[in-house]
Amino acid sequence: MEDYLAHAKVFKALGDPKRAFILNMLSYGELCACVILEKFDMSQSTLSHHMKILCDCGLVNSRSEGKWTYYSLNQEAISKAMGFFNAVTSSKDNCISNEGFDCRKG
Amino acid sequence: MEDYLAHAKVFKALGDPKRAFILNMLSYGELCACVILEKFDMSQSTLSHHMKILCDCGLVNSRSEGKWTYYSLNQEAISKAMGFFNAVTSSKDNCISNEGFDCRKG
DNA sequence: CCTTCATATCGAAACATGTCAATATGAAAT
DNA sequence: ATTTCATATTGACATGTTTCGATATGAAGG
């Protein structure tokens, strides 16, 4: 279940449309917080809070340069999240079937 | 931004480790609610609530058969969620660069 | 019909989240 | 040194989520 905690933390972060949108913005390259802020109708403190959540779950990296903070994607974390979906969609032909799970047989 | 609402709804659903685990259980095939319930330390009403969230976001289909309810994955919804990650990770070489986003040039 | 069983819904309590204004921090410029 | 600017943190409030026990629904079996 611990695997699922890490995955769930990433999905929880993306569970807010604004954060999902920010992730997409960052797919075009590193961005300064002030630029991201311009695209939204939200306070500076709220954006800072959202960026912290994206960083804490590992999806986004931050880097300070003078007064500015730059954010970028962490491709490895994104690959891990995709791995969850791959595991879910991959064929399970070699695995134990669901017959053991059938409630009419218990 | 509407795209992100749909995506965010799916991610929000997976933002709970129990629901992420249930999705993985379903990757092995269709399951009866009563069987899922056995794997968790939660009340029946709580499981019903979680299954509703997984169904409402489209990730899971449900089917009634007599007294039982069977749940299964909706592969299309899963593909769409993967599409979000693909969009984020794919090369953006042909797109507008981030130069227009640079806070030092405004 | 009445009971039993599986699931859904309701109502309430505890907890988490999103948001803002105010304030703190820390770097750059004057 | 002082001010200014970008960002982070704090505290407070409204809203949403998770959870349970209790109750409702609806199918199957006596």
Side-chain angles (χ1 to χ4, degrees), chain A residues 7 78-88:
Chain A
H7 279 130
I78 292 169
S79 295
K80 277 185 189 164
M82 288 186 81
F84 173 85
F85 287 107
N86 281 324
V88 161

Side-chain angles (χ1 to χ4, degrees), chain B residues 56-100:
Chain B
D56 283 354
C57 77
L59 278 173
V60 169
N61 297 125
S62 72
R63 172 175 79 81
S64 287
E65 188 176 317
K67 293 186 289 189
W68 296 284
T69 306
Y70 290 88
Y71 295 99
S72 58
L73 296 187
N74 181 337
Q75 294 291 342
E76 197 186 341
I78 292 169
S79 295
K80 276 186 189 164
M82 288 186 79
F84 173 84
F85 286 108
N86 281 323
V88 161
T89 53
S90 66
S91 162
K92 298 297 195 308
D93 292 343
N94 298 325
C95 301
I96 297 159
S97 82
N98 270 339
E99 294 191 25

Side-chain angles (χ1 to χ4, degrees), chain A residues 1 4-5 8 11-12 14-18 20-21 23-24 27-32 34-35 39-40 65 68 70 73 75 78 81-82 84-89 92 95-96 98 101-104, chain B residues 1 4-5 8 11-12 14-18 20-21 23-24 27-32 34-35 39-40 65 68 70 73 75 78 81-82 84-89 92 95-96 98 101-104:
Chain A
M1 195 87 158
Y4 296 91
L5 272 175
F11 294 136
K12 201 174 204 171
L14 294 176
D16 181 293
K18 287 168 185 169
F21 186 74
L23 205 81
N24 193 59
S27 72
Y28 293 89
E30 188 180 60
L31 286 177
C32 177
C34 60
V35 171
K39 306 289 169 189
F40 290 97
E65 189 177 316
W68 296 285
Y70 290 87
L73 296 187
Q75 294 293 341
I78 292 169
M82 288 186 81
F84 173 85
F85 287 107
N86 281 324
V88 161
T89 53
K92 296 298 194 307
C95 301
I96 297 158
N98 269 337
F101 285 135
D102 195 323
C103 55
R104 290 162 300 188
Chain B
M1 195 84 160
Y4 295 92
L5 273 175
F11 293 136
K12 201 173 200 171
L14 294 177
D16 181 295
K18 287 166 186 170
F21 186 73
L23 204 82
N24 193 60
S27 73
Y28 293 89
E30 188 180 61
L31 286 177
C32 177
C34 58
V35 172
K39 306 287 168 189
F40 289 97
E65 188 176 317
W68 296 284
Y70 290 88
L73 296 187
Q75 294 291 342
I78 292 169
M82 288 186 79
F84 173 84
F85 286 108
N86 281 323
V88 161
T89 53
K92 298 297 195 308
C95 301
I96 297 159
N98 270 339
F101 284 136
D102 194 323
C103 55
R104 289 161 301 187

